[in-house]
Amino acid sequence: NAGVTQTPKFRVLKTGQSMTLLCAQDMNHEYMYWYRQDPGMGLRLIHYSVGEGTTAKGEVPDGYNVSRLKKQNFLLGLESAAPSQTSVYFCASSYGPAGYEQYFGPGTRLTVT
Amino acid sequence: KQEVTQIPAALSVPEGENLVLNCSFTDSAIYNLQWFRQDPGKGLTSLLLIQSSQREQTSGRLNASLDKSSGRSTLYIAASQPGDSATYLCAVKGSGGGADGLTFGKGTHLIIQP
């Protein structure tokens, strides 16, 4: 039982390049989330999904897209990376929307130059 | 908009002391509150989850309390050890009915001196 895994662990992009971050969970959770963590800002929600084939915007969705084609995977895409997207990205999952713990992955450290 | 504040931002104490970390939130309409631990360069590890109907939860040397009406939670760590050194994050789940995520505080950076 690996829990929540994220790939890659580190990535450096040039401004304007694109990339996809992959999150996978093996706990059969319905709900999945993408957060970013910036110094002095705390974690902020980017997008979330309440089940396979569904996605919704969080607090800071601009510049990101997501897809949930399979229940166990939640992808975060950056179509045209900007230096402001330099951050640590965390994926999380939970069994339900409320009353349940969220379990976090180890994070992806992204630098955009 | 929900805001979560953690005090102090940093704390350094000798090994063996009991300590209290504080968390406050502005909107008392929450489903639950979760305390996490984050080690440098690592992900978040869930420590305790308190439902809005509960007053406290305990796990080993950790005890978390919740006073929803006053918008406060505390994390009590007994007999602190150097291995407890980490950043502790408090997060709340709003009861607005949607499936959106947690609102986090900025954390308390804790150092336990051997």
Side-chain angles (χ1 to χ4, degrees), chain A residues 4-87:
Chain A
V4 180
T5 58
Q6 293 182 235
T7 53
K9 289 185 169 50
F10 303 93
R11 185 74 185 267
V12 178
L13 286 179
K14 292 187 185 328
T15 298
Q17 289 184 320
S18 63
M19 77 164 294
T20 300
L21 283 68
L22 171 63
C23 174
Q25 53 93 6
D26 61 1
M27 297 175 282
N28 201 34
H29 286 169
E30 289 290 340
Y31 295 79
M32 296 187 75
Y33 310 84
W34 277 107
Y35 295 87
R36 60 178 287 173
Q37 185 177 37
D38 302 292
M41 296 293 293
L43 278 87
R44 292 178 292 168
L45 182 67
I46 305 171
H47 284 282
Y48 64 96
S49 168
V50 303
E52 183 177 318
T54 74
T55 63
K57 294 180 181 179
E59 181 186 356
V60 288
D62 294 341
Y64 305 95
N65 56 75
V66 287
S67 64
R68 183 102 180 264
L69 299 180
K70 294 183 179 181
K71 184 177 181 179
Q72 64 268 35
N73 295 337
F74 195 28
L75 279 63
L76 178 71
L78 288 73
E79 290 186 344
S80 179
S84 61
Q85 294 177 304
T86 293
S87 188

Side-chain angles (χ1 to χ4, degrees), chain B residues 5-68:
Chain B
T5 302
Q6 292 187 246
I7 295 173
L11 182 63
S12 180
V13 300
E15 179 178 5
E17 285 201 2
N18 303 323
L19 53 99
V20 174
L21 308 182
N22 297 292
C23 172
S24 62
F25 44 95
T26 55
D27 185 351
S28 62
I30 64 168
Y31 263 122
N32 58 50
L33 183 144
Q34 200 167 349
W35 281 95
F36 295 89
R37 167 189 174 131
Q38 185 176 27
D39 293 287
K42 304 291 187 182
L44 281 66
T45 301
S46 180
L47 297 173
L48 290 163
L49 173 71
I50 310 178
Q51 305 295 350
S52 61
S53 58
Q54 296 176 319
R55 296 287 290 184
E56 65 180 306
Q57 281 283 4
T58 298
S59 175
R61 294 183 294 107
L62 304 179
N63 176 277
S65 68
L66 175 64
D67 184 342
K68 198 176 88 157

